[in-house]
Each structure stands twice: as C-alpha cells, then as structure tokens.
C-alpha cells in the first residue's frame, strides 16, 4: 500500500487539537510544557468547554500560555494565580477556571495563595508543572530541587544543611480538606500522557460539579536547565525525580 | 487477522527536532533528518522506515509541539 493511500482525511487518527493555536511555541525543544498544553486543549475541546474555560497563566516559562491555547486567559502576578482564579470562579460560577503554574510560581512565591485557595476548597483546577528548577531565569534552585541536584545556584548540588529539603507541595495539598482530587503524573511516555489527560479531565469534571479544588502535578523535565538532551532528561527524571515524587493519585474523593 | 498500516506527516516548520518521537516509536519508524533542516535550523523528524509504521500514535502523544498527524488503515 502506497503512503498516499494511507494519508487521507478519513484515515486520520491523531492531529493537533484545534484549540492549540498554529503559532510557534517559545519552549525549548522537548519541553514538557508543550505536551501538557496539548492535553489541556484536547480535554477542553472534548468536554465542549471552549466558551466556558478560563485559564490563569503564571510567571515562568508558561507565561505565554495565553498565546497558545485558544480559551480565555488572565495573566496573574507572580504566584497569585490561585487568588485570581478564586475571584473568577466565584464571579462566574458556571465557568471552569484552571491555573497553570510552575514550581517557582506555585511552591515558592505563591505558596500562601496555593495553600489557602486549596484550603478554602475553591472550585478550581491547579495544574502544577514540577521540573525541580527555575527554567526561565537560567536554571536556579527551586524549592522542589532534589537533594544533590546541581543547579546554577547550587553548583555542588543541593545540601540539606544549607538549602533545606525539597518541598512536596502536592503532598501538603492532599492533606487539606478542601481538595477533592490530588494526583501526580508525568508525560514522558505515551502511556503517561494518556494518564495525565485522564487526570486533567477528571479535575475539570470536579470543577464543573463543584466538588472542590483539584490538583494535577505533572513531574516534568527541563532539559535546558538540567543540561541534558530531551531523551536523556526523560531518563534522568525516571531515575531521580520519580524516587522523590512517585507517580499516582494522592487523594481521590 | 487484520493488519494495521500507518503513516505520519510532520509539520516541518513546527518541529524542533527534540527526538522524543524517535525514542517513543516502538517500531523504529522515525528518525531525525540527518542533513535537512527547517527554517529555524532544526533537524526535523521524518519516517525513515515507513513500512514499519502501525499508526499507534505513540510519537504524536509525546510530541511537545503537536506537529505529528497520524493516519491508520486496516488491511484484511
């Protein structure tokens, strides 16, 4: 069978989601952000929520998320995405509001907003991209950086006596009564991406049915910050990140 | 048993040559262009072994730039 017989519109089984704009994404080659953007665009379209979804973009690499996914967006001040999401979800209760945050936004400067929004049980979805480094500013240590991990500000590796322990913000959120669904996923394999999509879908359903705050952590790579190739970064993540941040559901109500 | 035959197309200008699709492909269908580059200078992905493709979509699922379209037919 010739290729031209296979490549026909009626045989298409996978293509770029329509909600993902046809613009060049500024992310580095192999960045997990792109996969998560794609999954959000697919979930929003499949659930028919295109006109009812509001995203809150963070400060960090994903700051331009509003250029890539064709839903309504608000760009919040650094770390304040859950506070802005709280306001929008209370004023427009029929809409689905999600925040898209990195580890610096959610677990460092925005820890207070994150914890209190989850503790109030706001009907929002928090999508948390944890790559254990500050990617946008040049690879400095993040709160989630692993012990011994080398970054621009910990050139000999993170030390507990000097830098403290990695912050497991998702585990903390799972202990709060306001959260209804807390899960940790990764998008480095096709199976992982499918599971993450199912998790995002479940989180959006929870927001629609007003069950409380849903948190989807995506353990991600930052191959530029880690100074590895995209494929090697995935291997490093499997070997090191998953030990400290094991995948799976932390809380399902 | 019906056999699945697949093919992919790559949006060459969107592709950043990250190699994740090549690593994810279970049938070693894909490679990065050894010489050709796109407008941004990336060695984009292409089907180096199109006969092996089963249209499983693994490449498309892991592609961070959503530049892969997958087609699949059943052959009886």
């Amino acid at each position: 069978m010739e290729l031209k017989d296979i490549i026909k519109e009626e045989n298409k089984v996978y293509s770029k989601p329509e909600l993902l704009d046809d613009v060049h994404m500024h992310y580095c080659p192999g960045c997990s952000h792109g996969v998560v953007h794609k999954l959000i665009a697919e979930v929003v379209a499949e659930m028919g929520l295109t006109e009812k979804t509001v995203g809150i973009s963070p400060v960090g690499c994903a700051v331009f998320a509003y250029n890539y996914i064709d839903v309504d967006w608000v760009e919040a001040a650094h770390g304040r995405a859950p506070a802005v999401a709280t306001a929008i979800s209370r004023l427009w209760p029929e809409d689905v509001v999600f925040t898209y945050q990195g580890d610096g936004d959610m677990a460092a400067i925005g820890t207070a907003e994150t914890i209190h929004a989850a503790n109030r049980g706001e009907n929002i979805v928090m999508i948390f991209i944890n790559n254990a480094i500050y990617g946008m500013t040049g690879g400095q240590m993040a709160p989630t950086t692993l012990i011994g991990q080398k970054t621009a500000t910990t050139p000999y590796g993170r030390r507990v006596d000097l830098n403290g322990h990695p912050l497991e913000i998702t585990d903390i959120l799972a202990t709060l009564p306001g959260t209804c669904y807390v899960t940790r996923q990764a998008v480095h394999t096709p199976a992982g991406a499918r599971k993450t999509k199912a998790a995002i879908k479940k989180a959006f359903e929870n927001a629609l049915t007003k069950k409380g705050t849903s948190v989807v952590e995506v353990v991600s790579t930052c191959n530029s910050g880690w100074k590895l190739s995209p494929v090697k970064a995935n291997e490093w993540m499997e070997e090191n990140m998953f030990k400290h941040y094991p995948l799976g559901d932390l809380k399902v109500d | 048993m019906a056999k699945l035959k697949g093919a992919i197309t790559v949006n060459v200008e969107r592709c950043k040559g990250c190699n994740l699709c090549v690593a994810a492909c279970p049938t070693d269908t894909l490679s990065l262009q050894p010489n050709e580059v796109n407008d941004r200078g990336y060695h984009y992905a292409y089907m180096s072994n199109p006969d092996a493709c089963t249209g499983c979509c693994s490449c498309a699922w892991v592609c961070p730039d959503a530049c892969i379209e997958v087609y699949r037919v059943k052959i009886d």
Side-chain angles (χ1 to χ4, degrees), chain A:
Chain A
M1 188 175 248
E2 295 284 318
L3 276 185
K4 63 176 171 35
D5 299 323
I6 304 171
I7 301 174
K8 283 180 182 167
E9 195 59 33
E10 65 263 28
N11 297 334
K12 194 186 277 184
V13 285
Y14 197 106
S15 63
K16 182 177 80 62
E18 269 181 28
L19 281 184
L20 204 62
D21 288 328
D22 197 12
V23 290
H24 183 82
M25 292 203 270
H26 75 285
Y27 301 120
C28 307
C31 179
S32 309
H33 273 307
V35 186
V36 182
H37 281 20
K38 183 174 67 176
L39 298 178
I40 293 171
E42 286 177 3
V43 167
V44 171
E46 283 171 19
M47 293 178 73
L49 296 171
T50 309
E51 301 298 323
K52 283 179 68 181
T53 303
V54 183
I56 318 293
S57 62
V59 172
C61 284
V63 64
F64 294 129
Y66 49 74
N67 285 336
Y68 304 140
I69 307 175
D70 196 9
V71 295
D72 292 337
W73 287 90
V74 174
E75 161 59 37
H78 202 354
R80 272 72 215 182
V84 176
T86 299
I88 296 175
S89 74
R90 288 188 179 196
L91 292 168
W92 290 344
E94 70 282 359
D95 282 15
V96 173
V97 184
F98 75 92
T99 70
Y100 187 101
Q101 300 174 270
D103 41 55
D105 201 75
M106 189 166 189
I109 194 167
T111 316
E113 281 79 1
T114 304
I115 288 181
H116 286 293
N119 195 40
R120 291 192 303 267
E122 301 293 344
N123 290 306
I124 58 175
V125 178
M126 295 181 187
I127 294 170
F128 170 37
I129 309 295
N130 177 10
N131 56 14
I133 206 163
Y134 288 166
M136 186 184 72
T137 49
Q140 292 83 359
M141 190 194 84
T144 52
T145 297
L146 303 177
I147 299 298
Q149 187 181 343
K150 287 181 182 168
T151 68
T153 43
T154 55
Y156 304 106
R158 181 177 186 162
R159 275 164 47 194
V160 172
D161 59 334
L162 191 65
N163 313 111
H165 295 275
L167 181 65
E168 291 137 1
I169 186 89
T170 314
D171 298 67
I172 297 171
L173 295 176
T175 62
L176 301 175
T179 52
C180 62
Y181 179 51
V182 181
T183 185
R184 188 183 282 128
Q185 304 292 340
V187 292
H188 63 307
T189 58
R194 281 173 204 265
K195 279 188 193 162
T196 307
K197 185 179 173 184
I200 294 172
K201 197 166 193 172
K202 189 173 167 58
F204 273 59
E205 281 163 2
N206 288 342
L208 268 181
T209 51
K210 312 284 177 215
K211 282 178 78 176
T213 309
S214 304
V215 183
V216 180
E217 173 178 349
V218 184
V219 183
S220 304
T221 61
C222 176
N223 53 72
S224 299
W226 295 354
K227 316 258 182 273
L228 296 167
S229 72
V231 175
K232 284 264 182 281
N234 275 345
E235 288 166 11
W236 192 88
M237 177 171 73
E238 280 185 31
E239 280 167 30
N240 299 284
M241 294 279 283
F242 290 175
K243 268 187 216 152
H244 197 83
Y245 301 108
L247 304 187
D249 291 342
L250 297 163
K251 183 180 186 181
V252 185
D253 273 357

Side-chain angles (χ1 to χ4, degrees), chain B residues 7-71:
Chain B
I8 65 150
T9 58
V10 178
N11 184 336
V12 169
E13 291 311 321
R14 236 182 128 84
C15 179
K16 292 178 187 155
C18 68
N19 211 32
L20 290 183
C21 55
V22 178
C25 179
T27 59
D28 294 327
T29 304
L30 302 173
S31 305
L32 295 186
Q33 281 282 358
N35 302 313
E36 297 286 306
V37 292
N38 63 13
D39 284 357
R40 287 172 191 266
Y42 293 120
H43 292 278
Y44 52 89
Y46 77 113
M47 281 204 293
S48 54
N49 184 15
D51 292 339
C53 185
T54 58
C56 69
C57 299
S58 293
C59 52
W61 274 96
V62 298
C63 177
D65 292 282
C67 48
I68 299 178
E69 287 192 342
V70 185
Y71 301 83

